[in-house]
Amino acid sequence: MKNYDKYQVGYFPPPQTEVEWIKKDHIEKAPIWCSVDLRDGNQALIVPMSLEEKLEFFQFLVKLGFKEIEVGFPAASETEYEFLRRLIDDDLIPDDVTIQVLTQSRKHIIKKTFESLVGIKKAIVHLYNSTSLAQREQVFKAEKDEIIDIAASGAKLIKKYAAKYPDTEFQFEYSPESFTGTEMDFARDICNAVIDIWEPTPENKVIINLPATVSMSMPHVYASQIEYMCKNLHDRENVIVSLHPHNDRGTGVADAELGLLAGGDRIEGTLFGNGERTGNVDVVTLAMNMFSHGIDPNLDFSNMPEVVEMYEKFTDLKVHPRQPYGGQLVFAAFSGSHQDAIAKGMKWRKHKKLHQWTVPYLPIDPKDVGREYEGDVIRINSQSGKGGIAYILERDYGFDLPKQMREEVGYMMKDISDRSHKELSSEEIFEAFRKEYINYFDPIDITDATFKKISTYKSDDGMIVDMRVDIGGDVYEITAEGNGRLNAINNALKKTPYHFDYTLVTYSEHALETSSSSRAAAYICIEDSEGGQYWGVGTHEDIILASVNALVSALNRENKIRKFVK
């Protein structure tokens, strides 16, 4: 690409880098969550939400478990102001939920912000001003001390106005907007100036929000910036360090995770990362990443399909099918090797009666987010393999295919999908399997077979069969004996005018584990004199007749190739 040389790093690493956070390997507890879907997320929409939509979305965010929700910028928009007043006047804010409002460091805006909050029980007032070198030089054309004065004057005004409303429990928050493009010692100084004015206590802590307003660095740099600030803020024990990562570099989640390791206490973000430009940090992914490590995220995404549905309804945006945790296809495995590993992992877990989740290729149990194995996990197309197809046939229909048979069935399904250029549903898979293998009685059909033991054999397996067989419309009633039921049938077939060329290779059987039936399934593979092998499957309430049906099915499949019965 041309013009790469006009870019350079725009961030400022901390003057001292200790990177103690790198010694940690995972987040050990959930942060304080603050949803900014109704403010930051709403600003990002081509058509912002209506008042009624915002009210419904607010109630849904409460349902998900958010205890802090930024509802807007009430001094900047009449809709935002009316929305906040509806929440207060209609008593729609639960006692355990705190509303957050945003304000610039300007007197008339701060005044209107407090007026919008009259009657509320508790609220977070979020003050911000931009601090980056680029903003100071290009937008404000101001020196550092002038920028600090903007923040300090706003902090004093907020403290003054809050005192006028003693019935409201206020908490204060300050953001050095464009923190990632700010020199770290200056970010430290301006935050400390605000902290000193607000005088936090253990009972009323101050929130210092350190936003990646524009993501400018690799995540470890952001983490080091957070660590530096945490070590250099005044009254750190009474300060909640909040993170507000944006996703310009596609690292919003990584920035948040490493920032939490580096000392962050709180996250401001949105469902599925909605926000201006490339969006905010994705709270769903961030929370579910913690969940996958055995940490309670303190948010309820157990009905992920509903979360997706509601998000798309309110924002008119679509969740990408590969979006982590929420996408329609995130648990879907089309690859044969993946399917095989998942199927074996599921069987292993069931056999071992494990509580812990260790299934290959699935970082979490889909059922924990309201997804189903049926149709959500193993999906069949031309890329699929024997393991996945066998898994579906067993899971949905009770057929536990012998290992030697799975490859043949797998290739058949792949070919069907390839020719039709589409994914195969469970029903389509079973129908193709049934039509090709199960109780296939044309042109050979053994319509009756009665067995009894005989003593002419040295073992106890000697059998005699009285059998009626229809071959190409001709019916034969035959009696024959053998060293087992299938051998007796084989000898009976030899008494017909047709040349049956086969030997039995393998036989297995099991009960069909389906709720609607007590049937048995039998699987037989036969081999002709040239080495060709043919599988057949038989089902019947009687396991003996199921094995007969399996043999007949195999013979008819052989006849499709060798055509010994015209």
Side-chain angles (χ1 to χ4, degrees):
M1 292 179 65
K2 296 180 180 179
N3 300 325
Y4 66 88
D5 56 347
K6 77 191 213 184
Y7 301 101
Q8 61 183 0
V9 297
Y11 56 86
F12 298 88
Q16 299 97 32
T17 305
E18 299 179 29
V19 293
E20 290 183 8
W21 58 267
I22 205 168
K23 300 174 185 177
K24 303 173 186 177
D25 68 282
H26 70 285
I27 297 166
E28 296 181 347
K29 66 175 183 177
I32 301 166
W33 299 104
C34 178
S35 163
V36 293
D37 292 86
L38 298 174
R39 195 273 299 173
D40 207 339
N42 192 46
Q43 289 174 189
L45 302 179
I46 296 173
V47 180
M49 287 177 275
S50 68
L51 177 60
E52 293 304 319
E53 286 173 328
K54 292 191 74 172
L55 287 167
E56 189 178 356
F57 200 176
F58 171 80
Q59 291 168 334
F60 184 66
L61 292 169
V62 170
K63 176 182 175 181
L64 293 177
F66 286 98
K67 301 304 181 186
E68 297 181 2
I69 301 173
E70 188 172 78
V71 296
F73 200 151
S77 162
E78 193 61 31
T79 301
E80 305 278 282
Y81 185 92
E82 289 180 11
F83 171 52
L84 179 55
R85 291 314 311 170
R86 277 284 297 275
L87 291 175
I88 298 170
D89 295 338
D90 292 356
D91 197 22
L92 298 176
I93 306 168
D95 290 341
D96 62 345
V97 173
T98 303
I99 291 304
Q100 177 170 306
V101 291
L102 188 69
T103 178
Q104 292 176 336
S105 184
R106 300 171 68 182
K107 184 176 180 178
H108 71 284
I109 294 178
I110 291 173
K111 181 176 182 292
K112 187 170 182 179
T113 299
F114 275 91
E115 290 172 351
S116 74
L117 291 167
V118 171
I120 200 167
K121 296 175 184 177
K122 55 185 177 180
I124 298 169
V125 180
H126 183 183
L127 172 71
Y128 76 96
N129 68 308
S130 194
T131 60
S132 70
L133 176 62
Q135 292 265 22
R136 297 198 314 265
E137 290 182 340
Q138 301 171 38
V139 181
F140 300 108
K141 297 180 172 57
E143 299 299 323
K144 289 180 179 178
D145 58 348
E146 295 175 278
I147 300 297
I148 290 178
D149 186 62
I150 292 172
S153 61
K156 290 173 184 176
L157 279 171
I158 283 176
K159 190 174 182 179
K160 175 184 174 181
Y161 275 103
K164 296 181 179 182
Y165 302 94
D167 293 335
T168 298
E169 179 185 330
F170 286 108
Q171 186 173 21
F172 303 148
E173 174 177 352
Y174 174 67
S175 289
E177 193 207 4
S178 59
F179 164 76
T180 45
T182 302
E183 305 93 328
M184 287 299 102
D185 54 353
F186 178 55
R188 172 201 64 200
D189 292 344
I190 196 168
C191 289
N192 282 336
V194 171
I195 291 170
D196 292 345
I197 293 167
W198 282 342
E199 300 177 303
T201 66
E203 295 74 31
N204 191 6
K205 296 183 177 183
V206 162
I207 300 169
I208 295 296
N209 186 53
L210 303 173
T213 307
V214 178
S215 178
M216 305 176 76
S217 69
M218 294 174 69
H220 74 286
V221 175
Y222 182 64
S224 294
Q225 292 171 331
I226 300 303
E227 183 177 64
Y228 172 79
M229 293 294 289
C230 286
K231 290 180 180 293
N232 289 278
L233 290 175
H234 293 174
D235 291 313
R236 176 64 181 96
E237 67 278 8
N238 297 325
V239 171
I240 295 169
V241 173
S242 178
L243 313 177
H244 186 120
H246 280 249
N247 198 42
D248 302 86
R249 292 172 55 88
T251 59
V253 169
D255 288 341
E257 290 182 324
L258 297 193
L260 289 174
L261 292 183
D265 308 300
R266 181 177 184 265
I267 292 290
E268 294 186 348
T270 59
L271 300 181
F272 301 112
N274 178 38
E276 291 188 271
R277 303 186 310 279
T278 55
N280 292 8
V281 64
D282 177 358
V283 169
V284 175
T285 298
L286 188 56
M288 291 306 303
N289 282 355
M290 296 177 199
F291 181 82
S292 73
H293 282 169
I295 304 301
D296 183 353
N298 295 329
L299 292 173
D300 184 3
F301 295 123
S302 59
N303 188 353
M304 193 66 75
E306 181 189 30
V307 177
V308 172
E309 178 186 358
M310 298 298 277
Y311 167 82
E312 293 183 340
K313 170 185 174 181
F314 296 128
T315 66
D316 200 28
L317 300 172
K318 294 296 181 183
V319 173
H320 192 280
R322 299 294 182 185
Q323 177 82 12
Y325 301 105
Q328 187 64 37
L329 297 177
V330 294
F331 298 112
F334 291 100
S335 161
S337 60
H338 288 209
Q339 292 175 346
D340 187 56
I342 290 171
K344 289 174 179 174
M346 299 282 261
K347 184 171 286 189
W348 167 270
R349 187 169 182 270
K350 182 178 179 181
H351 176 69
K352 296 289 185 180
K353 299 180 179 178
L354 297 177
H355 175 68
Q356 296 302 124
W357 184 258
T358 60
V359 176
Y361 295 112
L362 295 178
I364 64 167
D365 185 346
K367 287 186 177 293
D368 287 336
V369 289
R371 301 286 291 273
E372 296 297 328
Y373 302 138
E374 296 81 0
D376 275 334
V377 179
I378 292 181
R379 309 271 290 267
I380 304 302
N381 64 13
S382 61
Q383 304 300 307
S384 304
K386 59 184 179 181
I389 293 161
Y391 174 76
I392 285 178
L393 288 172
E394 182 176 8
R395 180 195 69 191
D396 295 349
Y397 304 101
F399 288 90
D400 185 7
L401 273 58
K403 289 183 179 179
Q404 308 95 307
M405 186 183 188
R406 294 179 184 183
E407 185 170 3
E408 178 180 308
V409 176
Y411 277 118
M412 181 184 78
M413 299 301 174
K414 284 161 67 79
D415 184 59
I416 293 172
S417 175
D418 199 25
R419 284 186 281 107
S420 60
H421 299 288
K422 70 172 187 175
E423 177 186 355
L424 300 182
S425 68
S426 172
E427 293 79 7
E428 289 171 322
I429 290 166
F430 178 69
E431 179 58 24
F433 176 70
R434 182 201 64 77
K435 185 177 180 181
E436 179 65 26
Y437 290 97
I438 303 175
N439 295 348
Y440 185 2
F441 297 152
D442 182 31
I444 305 163
D445 184 8
I446 296 178
T447 57
D448 188 30
T450 304
F451 299 94
K452 60 182 178 181
K453 286 190 175 184
I454 55 175
S455 57
T456 56
Y457 287 82
K458 294 180 180 179
S459 68
D460 293 332
D461 295 331
M463 286 286 173
I464 188 168
V465 63
D466 292 320
M467 184 179 82
R468 180 184 299 110
V469 58
D470 184 328
I471 304 177
D474 296 324
V475 178
Y476 305 91
E477 294 191 5
I478 308 165
T479 298
E481 59 183 55
N483 60 1
R485 291 184 178 89
L486 296 179
N487 183 247
I489 288 176
N490 177 40
N491 292 334
L493 290 172
K494 289 179 179 178
K495 295 183 178 182
T496 69
Y498 299 93
H499 176 61
F500 286 90
D501 170 23
Y502 74 91
T503 56
L504 183 66
V505 175
T506 185
Y507 168 79
S508 62
E509 63 186 42
H510 65 78
L512 276 174
E513 296 179 1
T514 57
S515 58
S516 61
S517 174
S518 58
R519 295 175 303 155
Y523 308 85
I524 282 179
C525 180
I526 59 176
E527 184 175 274
D528 62 28
S529 57
E530 297 179 1
Q533 292 191 344
Y534 311 93
W535 284 92
V537 181
T539 60
H540 200 278
E541 288 77 8
D542 185 331
I543 187 59
I544 295 172
L545 295 180
S547 65
V548 173
N549 290 345
L551 176 60
V552 173
S553 297
L555 289 171
N556 280 312
R557 294 193 68 248
E558 179 189 6
N559 185 66
K560 282 171 59 176
I561 304 300
R562 297 178 60 87
K563 303 189 184 305
F564 52 87
V565 177
K566 304 298 184 184

